[in-house]
């Protein structure tokens, strides 16, 4: 093939793959097209809630013209994977009735799935009617305009535990969560994220304070994946959870795992050296690196650099900070 033919073939491939990529990032998935309309009465604002999540990656679609055909194909495969939207789906497959002392209530099992993933990326939580009610009340305070057309399932004087009422609420709450997640400002709000993660985190930190590191670690590892997906636009938000995992692994004498999660936490703080976890985390990482025979000098340099820029102040250890999280 001569040079002109080769260049023509590259241009045609670029144009074809570009059309495929554009289609894959803008067309709704089959699951979304077939998704039933919400039974809760609501009116979604006329906006593209995912626009901000994809505009940055679309700006990078400019491959070098000197790429070979094989390199172009690999480039576009990587771009499609990078630009693919990550969305969460909510299902409420079952419930259970809980009788505790003088109270009786229904717990709704919520499965949160990531689109295009398998069971390894799902999270399972339980919430009761009063939890949903509190979330709705809190969101009304901050997002009154967005929430004005949402009809929340009302309490009934009788029949709250009948199969008919429970099934109606299962469907209503599923649609309710889908509606909330469809709006960018609500799904990124602390109130919405707390509803989905705070009870589990409170339990985990309670176990940590009680020295139950194995149980605390089990819960933290379950919730961290969901936390990451909910806070993609704010990576610093999960630093406390990552540091709590470091503390648990360290106290369980798993230094390699502690160091691994410590690196993840540090990677989220390169421009946040004033963060309350930064110095305690650095000090812990230096200890772990020395124990594991890893390079600790670069970490030590960062610590010394920070000390020269800041006035010496008393800082808590990483464990002291962790046990203070979620203290009522």
């Amino acid at each position: 093939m001569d040079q002109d033919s080769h260049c023509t073939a590259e241009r045609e491939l670029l144009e074809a793959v570009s059309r495929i990529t554009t289609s894959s990032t803008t067309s709704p998935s089959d699951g979304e097209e077939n998704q039933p309309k919400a039974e809760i009465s609501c009116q979604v604002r006329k906006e593209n809630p995912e626009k901000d999540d994809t505009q940055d990656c679309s700006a990078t679609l400019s491959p070098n013209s000197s790429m070979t055909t094989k390199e172009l194909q690999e480039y576009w495969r990587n771009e499609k994977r990078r630009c693919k939207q990550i969305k969460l789906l909510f299902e409420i497959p079952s419930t259970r009735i809980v009788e505790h002392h003088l109270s009786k209530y229904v717990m709704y099992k919520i499965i949160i799935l990531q689109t295009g993933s398998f069971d390894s990326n799902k999270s399972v939580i339980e919430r009761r009617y009063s939890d949903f009610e509190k979330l709705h009340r809190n969101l009304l305070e901050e997002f009154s305009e967005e929430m004005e057309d949402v009809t929340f399932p009302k309490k009934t004087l009788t029949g709250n535990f009948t199969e008919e009422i429970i099934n109606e609420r299962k469907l209503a709450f599923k649609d309710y969560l889908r509606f909330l997640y469809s709006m960018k400002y609500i799904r990124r709000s602390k109130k919405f994220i707390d509803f989905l993660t705070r009870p589990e985190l409170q339990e985990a930190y309670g176990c940590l304070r009680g020295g139950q590191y194995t149980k605390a670690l089990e819960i933290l590892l379950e919730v961290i994946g969901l936390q990451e997906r909910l806070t993609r636009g704010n990576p610093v938000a999960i630093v406390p959870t990552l540091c709590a995992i470091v503390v648990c692994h360290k106290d369980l004498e798993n230094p390699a795992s502690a160091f691994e999660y410590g690196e993840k936490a540090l990677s989220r703080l390169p421009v946040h050296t004033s963060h309350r976890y930064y110095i305690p985390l650095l000090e812990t990482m230096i200890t772990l690196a020395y124990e594991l025979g890893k390079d600790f000098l670069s970490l030590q340099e960062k610590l010394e650099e920070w000390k020269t820029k800041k006035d010496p102040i008393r800082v808590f250890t990483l464990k002291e900070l962790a046990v203070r999280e979620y203290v009522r």
Side-chain angles (χ1 to χ4, degrees):
M1 180 182 292
D2 57 30
Q3 185 173 0
D4 291 340
S5 300
H6 183 73
C7 291
T8 301
E10 286 189 1
R11 284 196 298 271
E12 291 176 350
L13 174 63
L14 177 59
E15 293 172 357
V17 181
S18 179
R19 287 194 297 270
I20 294 172
T21 306
T22 302
S23 173
S24 67
T25 57
T26 59
S27 301
S29 63
D30 293 339
E32 291 172 330
E33 289 177 348
N34 298 326
Q35 197 176 79
K37 293 183 179 179
E39 295 185 10
I40 292 181
S41 172
C42 59
Q43 181 178 356
V44 182
R45 292 177 298 172
K46 294 182 179 179
E47 65 173 71
N48 181 358
E50 302 299 338
K51 182 177 180 181
D52 65 306
D53 296 330
T54 58
Q55 61 183 5
D56 291 338
C57 66
S58 63
T60 66
L61 305 182
S62 54
N64 191 306
S65 60
S66 64
M67 286 182 177
T68 65
T69 300
K70 184 177 181 181
E71 288 172 337
L72 279 170
Q73 290 173 333
E74 182 62 25
Y75 172 87
W76 283 108
R77 276 196 294 268
N78 291 335
E79 283 299 319
K80 286 175 67 178
R81 282 194 292 267
R82 194 173 73 83
C83 294
K84 185 177 180 182
Q85 296 176 10
I86 296 177
K87 296 182 180 179
L88 300 183
L89 303 175
F90 299 87
E91 299 293 339
I92 304 182
S94 61
T95 61
R96 63 187 179 94
I97 297 176
V98 177
E99 296 190 50
H100 184 67
H101 298 302
L102 300 177
S103 64
K104 183 179 180 181
Y105 52 88
V106 178
M107 294 294 289
Y108 296 84
K109 181 180 180 180
I110 306 169
I111 297 180
I112 306 163
L113 298 164
Q114 180 176 308
T115 54
S117 67
F118 296 98
D119 287 349
S120 60
N121 285 324
K122 76 177 182 182
S123 300
V124 182
I125 60 176
E126 283 189 316
R127 298 293 183 267
R128 54 189 291 187
Y129 179 94
S130 60
D131 295 324
F132 281 97
E133 189 177 41
K134 181 181 178 181
L135 170 66
H136 187 70
R137 187 169 59 250
N138 289 339
L139 290 177
L140 281 174
E141 294 176 357
E142 188 173 351
F143 305 99
S144 57
E145 183 179 346
E146 292 86 347
M147 301 286 294
E148 63 183 358
D149 293 323
V150 180
T151 302
F152 189 80
K154 295 181 179 180
K155 282 186 176 180
T156 59
L157 295 177
T158 59
N160 285 304
F161 302 101
T162 64
E163 184 177 353
E164 180 182 3
I165 293 295
I166 291 175
N167 286 334
E168 285 179 0
R169 287 181 176 173
K170 276 171 54 179
L171 293 173
F173 286 143
K174 179 179 71 173
D175 291 332
Y176 179 71
L177 291 174
R178 288 180 178 180
F179 167 68
L180 296 181
Y181 186 76
S182 73
M183 292 188 292
K184 177 182 66 177
Y185 297 109
I186 290 183
R187 72 168 173 267
R188 291 183 177 181
S189 70
K190 185 178 184 300
K191 292 174 181 178
F192 181 66
I193 294 172
D194 278 353
F195 169 79
L196 296 171
T197 61
R198 189 178 180 88
E200 286 71 25
L201 288 172
Q202 286 178 323
E203 181 183 1
Y205 279 98
C207 292
L208 193 157
R209 284 189 290 274
Q212 298 175 292
Y213 302 113
T214 300
K215 179 63 176 177
L217 183 60
E218 178 185 336
I219 300 171
L220 290 168
L221 291 176
E222 286 180 359
V223 77
I224 189 66
L226 176 59
Q227 238 187 333
E228 285 180 316
R229 295 193 291 275
L230 289 167
T231 61
R232 284 186 301 136
N234 183 20
V236 178
I238 66 168
V239 166
T241 306
L242 289 171
C243 288
I245 293 174
V246 172
V247 170
C248 289
H249 274 306
K250 189 171 183 297
D251 279 50
L252 290 170
E253 299 183 356
N254 301 323
S257 296
F259 191 83
E260 176 189 348
Y261 280 93
E263 285 187 315
K264 291 181 180 180
L266 274 181
S267 70
R268 287 160 168 80
L269 296 174
V271 294
H272 299 278
T273 57
S274 61
H275 194 282
R276 69 187 190 282
Y277 272 92
Y278 182 69
I279 294 305
L281 178 59
L282 265 183
E283 292 174 338
T284 300
M285 290 294 285
I286 291 169
T287 302
L288 289 169
Y290 183 80
E291 182 179 349
L292 293 168
K294 294 180 179 290
D295 172 32
F296 64 89
L297 293 179
S298 59
L299 296 170
Q300 188 70 46
E301 288 174 1
K302 290 181 181 180
L303 181 60
E304 295 301 325
E305 180 184 357
W306 183 90
K307 287 181 178 180
T308 59
K309 293 181 179 179
K310 304 284 185 179
D311 294 330
I313 57 173
R314 181 185 181 278
V315 294
F316 294 109
T317 66
L318 196 67
K319 187 172 183 178
E320 287 172 339
L321 274 181
V323 298
R324 283 169 167 76
E325 293 284 345
Y326 294 97
V327 176
R328 293 180 181 276

